[in-house]
């Protein structure tokens, strides 16, 4: 009996958003449009940073990698979601499920560390401008970026590794539009207490670490701005940090609500699907526009390229 149940649950059915067929074409067009704009915006920003020598600075290196990870996040979720809107079986194997979660968690964790690195970069640029090139050296920039990718790979590897201790015999239906660990835990016939504990300890610790860096950096930035005598200097400093702080607030707000809140593992998907859509589709869409449209240097380079073409 155990073997039969286990064999039945090596594949899962993703329930998705809705069973109403009249809404599916509209949802398909909406998410396809979001996905295409996201890929063009993020990969275009990456290409601009790579090809334009003036953007080879720590802030833009972090931003380019952030855009790359946003592309990875969107690509991990959206193509399968679009396929499932018109698929009859909407099946995903256990290993495909693990791969999808790994890519998503890799992107989100790396994003968190890159946002923390960007906050530190803004702190040095505003609070210690004369020491910027010494404190934010090329070597440190490479080390911080490499560290973000290492943490980004270790984090999902831990959770995927602990998934192998579970067997799934309650149901084969994942009440979500992508394969996340939280709905999987509800299907386990083995107590997922250790898995829940690892989410709380590992994910919580990483979130606290990166959020602390962001908060401390912005507190120092705020104190420095308040000490400035000239309004023009204050406005320029605030403008420099506004886009980054907006992105950080949206990113951490959605993730903390999704994973770190009390009893997040046991709750059904009624309230988490809108949040999941927000951080898997909307945030990757917004980031390149948040940074590009508020950045004069990027806008000027884009105008120059458009004039040449």
């Amino acid at each position: 009996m155990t073997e039969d149940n286990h064999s039945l649950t090596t594949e899962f059915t993703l329930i998705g958003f809705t069973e109403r067929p009249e809404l599916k074409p509209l949802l398909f067009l909406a998410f396809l449009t979001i996905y295409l704009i996201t890929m063009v915006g993020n990969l275009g920003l990456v290409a601009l940073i790579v090809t334009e020598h003036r953007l080879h600075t720590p802030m833009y290196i972090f931003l380019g990698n952030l855009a790359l990870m946003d592309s990875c996040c969107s690509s991990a979720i959206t193509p399968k979601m679009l396929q499932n809107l018109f698929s009859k079986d909407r099946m995903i194997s256990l290993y495909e499920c693990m791969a999808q979660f790994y890519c998503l968690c890799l992107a989100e964790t790396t994003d968190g560390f890159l946002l923390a690195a960007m906050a530190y970069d803004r702190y040095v640029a505003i609070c210690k401008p004369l020491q910027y090139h010494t404190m934010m050296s090329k070597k440190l920039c490479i080390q911080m970026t490499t560290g973000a990718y290492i943490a980004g790979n270790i984090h999902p590897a831990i959770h995927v590794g602990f998934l192998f201790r579970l067997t799934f015999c309650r149901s084969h239906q994942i009440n979500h539009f992508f394969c996340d660990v939280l709905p999987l835990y509800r299907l386990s016939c083995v107590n997922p207490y250790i898995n829940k504990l690892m989410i709380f300890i590992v994910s919580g610790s990483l979130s606290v670490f990166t959020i602390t860096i962001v908060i401390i950096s912005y507190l120092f930035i705020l104190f420095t701005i308040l000490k400035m005598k000239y309004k023009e200097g204050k406005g320029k400093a605030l403008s420099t940090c506004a886009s980054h702080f907006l992105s950080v607030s949206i990113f951490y707000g959605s993730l903390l609500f999704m994973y770190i809140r009390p009893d997040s593992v046991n709750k059904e998907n009624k309230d988490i699907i809108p949040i999941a859509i927000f951080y898997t589709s909307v945030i990757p869409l917004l980031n390149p526009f948040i940074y590009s449209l508020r950045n004069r240097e990027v806008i000027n380079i884009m105008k120059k390229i458009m004039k040449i073409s």
Side-chain angles (χ1 to χ4, degrees):
M1 186 69 182
T2 304
E3 290 180 0
D4 289 342
N5 283 336
H6 184 68
S7 66
L8 287 172
T9 52
T10 55
E11 288 189 335
F12 302 94
T13 301
L14 293 169
I15 299 301
F17 302 110
T18 180
E19 297 294 331
R20 295 172 63 183
E22 69 273 13
L23 292 178
K24 291 184 178 182
L26 182 62
L27 287 171
F28 182 87
L29 288 174
F31 283 103
L32 178 62
T33 303
I34 290 172
Y35 179 64
L36 292 176
I37 295 173
T38 298
M39 297 306 290
V40 170
N42 282 291
L43 295 181
L45 187 59
V46 171
L48 185 67
I49 292 169
V50 169
T51 56
E52 187 58 48
H53 183 72
R54 283 175 290 175
L55 300 181
H56 292 180
T57 61
M59 185 63 180
Y60 290 107
I61 291 172
F62 296 142
L63 180 56
N65 283 278
L66 185 73
L68 188 64
M69 287 295 99
D70 283 341
S71 301
C72 176
C73 173
S74 188
S75 296
I77 303 301
T78 309
K80 185 68 176 178
M81 178 178 67
L82 293 174
Q83 177 191 339
N84 286 344
L85 280 172
F86 293 105
S87 176
K88 291 183 179 180
D89 54 25
R90 291 172 292 182
M91 299 299 291
I92 185 170
S93 72
L94 178 60
Y95 293 107
E96 285 178 315
C97 192
M98 290 179 176
Q100 189 180 54
F101 169 74
Y102 187 98
C103 291
L104 176 63
C105 190
L106 162 66
E108 299 295 350
T109 306
T110 307
D111 272 2
F113 278 86
L114 289 171
L115 289 170
M118 291 166 73
Y120 177 75
D121 176 83
R122 292 301 86 199
Y123 154 73
V124 177
I126 293 173
C127 301
K128 301 181 183 292
L130 298 178
Q131 303 174 42
Y132 180 80
H133 293 291
T134 304
M135 294 181 67
M136 283 302 299
S137 63
K138 185 178 180 180
K139 181 180 179 182
L140 178 61
C141 178
I142 293 171
Q143 288 175 341
M144 293 173 80
T145 305
T146 304
Y149 280 103
I150 291 172
N153 279 280
I154 291 175
H155 185 209
I158 291 171
H159 295 306
V160 169
F162 275 92
L163 277 177
F164 283 103
R165 65 177 290 272
L166 304 180
T167 54
F168 304 97
C169 57
R170 292 182 180 176
S171 173
H172 68 279
Q173 293 187 335
I174 297 176
N175 204 14
H176 214 329
F177 64 92
F178 69 91
C179 202
D180 197 7
V181 289
L182 300 184
L184 274 178
Y185 292 165
R186 301 186 195 109
L187 307 182
S188 175
C189 52
V190 174
N191 189 343
Y193 171 76
I194 294 176
N195 302 69
K196 296 178 187 179
L197 187 63
M198 291 307 295
I199 280 192
F200 183 77
I201 293 174
V202 179
S203 302
S205 298
L206 292 178
S207 298
V208 168
F209 175 73
T210 52
I211 290 172
T212 301
I213 292 174
V214 171
I215 290 173
I216 292 174
S217 297
Y218 274 97
L219 283 174
F220 277 107
I221 289 170
L222 181 61
F223 293 148
T224 302
I225 291 174
L226 291 174
K227 290 178 183 178
M228 290 181 178
K229 295 180 181 179
Y230 301 103
K231 291 183 179 180
E232 185 179 345
K234 289 183 179 181
K236 187 177 180 180
L238 286 171
S239 177
T240 303
C241 297
S243 57
H244 180 237
F245 187 74
L246 176 62
S247 180
V248 168
S249 302
I250 294 171
F251 176 79
Y252 281 113
S254 58
L255 283 184
L256 288 174
F257 182 85
M258 186 77 179
Y259 292 102
I260 310 301
R261 62 187 175 135
D263 204 32
S264 60
V265 176
N266 297 321
K267 290 192 176 184
E268 290 299 323
N269 75 322
K270 291 179 182 178
D271 57 345
I272 67 172
I273 279 187
I275 302 299
I277 293 172
F278 196 73
Y279 80 81
T280 58
S281 297
V282 179
I283 291 177
L285 170 70
L286 292 178
N287 274 345
F289 298 100
I290 289 173
Y291 287 106
S292 300
L293 296 179
R294 294 187 59 86
N295 192 302
R296 291 181 182 178
E297 194 169 5
V298 173
I299 291 172
N300 290 336
I301 291 172
M302 291 175 69
K303 285 180 179 178
K304 184 180 178 181
I305 291 171
M306 291 172 71
K307 284 180 181 179
I308 294 172
S309 60

